[in-house]
């Protein structure tokens, strides 16, 4: 049977929407006039995400957003080009999938067992680039992305230092709030529990609740993952039916095209190197040597 909402429920929903709009306007006024990339970044949807991350407390949301604007003004994530981080992506340890989840969200696939470098700074820069790219490719009306983390080949030797993990989590939680819909950790080995017991304390409650452990022999956890993803799209390595074949050159060409899209959005076409305009991919141009360090651990 279908149940209609009572008038009181409709009234409550309407009151909440009005209150939320009021909070967004209040935060906008509190932030004050913006210009350049900060103005483009602070859309109504953006302000809503920061408010949601701080339980609609305007003062806390304002501080969080101001911290992000300062971070973006110095780190300049929107200006990172694929050529600068391509060396980090050679093994396919992190890339944007060619499919979406059932809600139409962009999907990032992470394979920590394929770690190929030792520079934490470059690894984070690579991650930030892919986060910005995932947002660039979100369909209209969609604000979040999904993560699929495949632990095939992972060992404690592949683990990043705790300090670096904390820094990465800080960037994700504080500068990309409410961007993660769900993160599935697929078949992590039991030794991962040691690392997880420490890392989980750096996660806020909301983020922690979005992390799901999935084991191929556990029907309930697989059913949960299949409720988010069509198994026809999921790679076999992640319990699906498709074949995962990461091609670095092909992915690099795609990212070079997306660098053009990003530059058009941010109005930074004049900052692009000539090879992008000539149609060459990042894979055809030698990346920054700092990005090509081999793993030392």
């Amino acid at each position: 049977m279908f149940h209609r909402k009572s008038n009181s429920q409709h009234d409550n929903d309407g009151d909440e929407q009005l209150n939320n709009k009021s909070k967004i306007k209040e935060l906008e006024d509190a932030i004050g006039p913006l210009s350049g990339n900060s103005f483009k970044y602070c859309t109504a949807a953006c302000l809503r995400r920061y408010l949601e991350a701080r339980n609609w407390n305007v003062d806390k949301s304002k501080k969080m957003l101001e911290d992000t604007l300062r971070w973006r003004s110095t780190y300049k994530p929107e200006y990172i080009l694929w050529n600068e981080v391509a060396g980090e992506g050679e093994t396919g340890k992190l890339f944007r999938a060619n499919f979406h989840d059932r809600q139409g969200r962009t999907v990032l696939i992470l394979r920590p067992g394929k770690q190929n470098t030792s520079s934490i700074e470059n690894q984070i820069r690579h991650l930030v680039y892919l986060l910005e790219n995932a947002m660039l490719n979100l369909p209209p009306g969609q604000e979040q992305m999904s993560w699929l983390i495949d632990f095939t080949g992972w060992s404690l030797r592949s683990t990043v230092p705790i300090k670096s993990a904390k820094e990465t989590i800080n960037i994700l939680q504080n500068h990309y709030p409410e961007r993660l819909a769900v993160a599935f950790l697929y078949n992590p080995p039991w030794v991962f529990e040691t690392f997880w017991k420490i890392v989980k304390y750096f996660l806020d409650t909301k983020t922690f609740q979005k992390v799901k452990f999935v084991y191929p022999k556990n029907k309930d956890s697989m059913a949960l993952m299949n409720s988010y993803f069509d198994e026809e799209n999921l790679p076999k390595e992640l319990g699906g039916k498709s074949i995962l074949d990461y091609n670095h050159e092909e992915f690099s060409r795609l990212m070079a095209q997306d660098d053009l899209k990003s530059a058009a959005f941010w109005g930074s076409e004049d900052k692009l190197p000539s090879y992008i305009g000539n149609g060459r991919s990042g894979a055809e141009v030698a990346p920054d040597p700092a990005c090509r360090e081999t793993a030392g651990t």
Side-chain angles (χ1 to χ4, degrees):
M1 295 180 64
F2 296 94
H3 299 276
R4 293 182 178 179
K5 284 187 176 182
S6 65
N7 289 334
S8 61
Q9 286 177 305
H10 282 296
D11 292 341
N12 289 337
D13 289 345
D15 291 343
E16 183 178 359
Q17 290 178 6
L18 287 174
N19 183 59
N20 291 350
K21 287 183 179 180
S22 175
K23 291 281 188 179
I24 292 173
K25 183 63 168 64
E26 189 178 345
L27 178 57
E28 182 182 11
D29 293 340
I31 291 294
L34 297 170
S35 60
N37 287 0
S38 292
F39 175 77
K40 289 184 178 181
Y41 181 77
C42 292
T43 62
C46 172
L47 299 183
R48 175 184 289 273
R49 288 194 303 273
Y50 280 81
L51 284 163
E52 288 180 348
R54 290 296 179 263
N55 296 315
W56 294 88
N57 182 298
V58 174
D59 290 336
K60 292 181 179 180
S61 302
K62 176 176 180 287
K63 181 183 184 306
M64 185 185 195
L65 180 52
E66 287 176 338
D67 287 345
T68 292
L69 293 179
R70 281 192 291 270
W71 175 77
R72 293 187 71 89
S73 69
T74 55
Y75 200 87
K76 302 185 184 303
E78 67 272 37
Y79 293 145
I80 301 174
L81 298 175
W82 174 248
N83 182 54
E84 299 169 15
V85 297
E88 290 288 336
E90 286 181 348
T91 59
K93 66 185 178 186
L94 169 61
F95 61 97
R96 176 166 58 84
N98 61 356
F99 60 89
H100 294 80
D101 69 9
R102 293 186 187 275
Q103 300 299 317
R105 292 180 284 237
T106 302
V107 177
L108 289 183
I109 294 180
L110 295 80
R111 299 189 289 179
K114 292 186 176 291
Q115 181 59 263
N116 61 323
T117 67
S118 59
S119 171
I120 301 300
E121 180 181 349
N122 289 332
Q123 290 168 14
I124 292 177
R125 192 169 173 81
H126 177 233
L127 171 63
V128 168
Y129 174 89
L130 266 299
L131 290 173
E132 295 283 321
N133 181 266
M135 296 187 306
L136 179 71
N137 285 281
L138 286 170
Q142 184 55 261
E143 295 287 315
Q144 296 183 309
M145 66 189 80
S146 296
W147 285 18
L148 288 170
I149 307 175
D150 176 15
F151 279 86
T152 301
W154 183 90
S155 69
L156 283 177
R157 293 180 68 252
S158 310
T159 304
V160 299
I162 295 299
K163 181 180 178 181
S164 301
K166 185 177 180 180
E167 181 182 354
T168 302
I169 291 171
N170 172 65
I171 290 175
L172 293 172
Q173 291 186 157
N174 295 327
H175 301 318
Y176 294 91
E178 297 302 314
R179 283 300 194 180
L180 179 66
V182 65
F184 283 102
L185 280 59
Y186 188 82
N187 203 28
W190 66 268
V191 292
F192 177 75
E193 293 181 12
T194 303
F195 181 69
W196 177 247
K197 286 178 180 178
I198 300 173
V199 170
K200 68 180 182 181
Y201 289 108
F202 302 141
L203 300 175
D204 61 35
T205 302
K206 281 190 174 182
T207 304
F208 179 79
Q209 292 174 344
K210 294 175 181 179
V211 178
K212 313 294 182 184
F213 284 73
V214 177
Y215 300 93
K217 294 182 180 180
N218 185 303
K219 292 183 179 180
D220 290 338
S221 64
M222 287 302 299
L224 177 63
M225 190 155 105
N226 289 333
S227 71
Y228 279 82
F229 300 95
D230 185 339
E231 65 177 355
E232 297 295 331
N233 292 328
L234 278 176
K236 290 182 178 180
E237 293 88 341
L238 292 164
K241 297 182 178 180
S242 72
I243 297 175
L244 176 60
D245 182 21
Y246 176 77
N247 184 306
H248 186 59
E249 290 189 4
E250 182 179 327
F251 189 73
S252 292
R253 284 191 288 271
L254 178 63
M255 293 300 98
Q257 293 171 9
D258 279 357
D259 284 349
L260 285 171
K261 288 166 52 180
S262 178
F265 175 80
W266 294 108
S268 58
E269 292 95 334
D270 59 326
K271 299 180 184 293
L272 292 174
S274 59
Y275 76 83
I276 293 181
N278 292 334
R280 298 167 65 195
S281 72
E284 296 170 321
V285 181
D288 186 329
C291 292
R292 299 185 63 87
E293 300 177 20
T294 56
T297 57

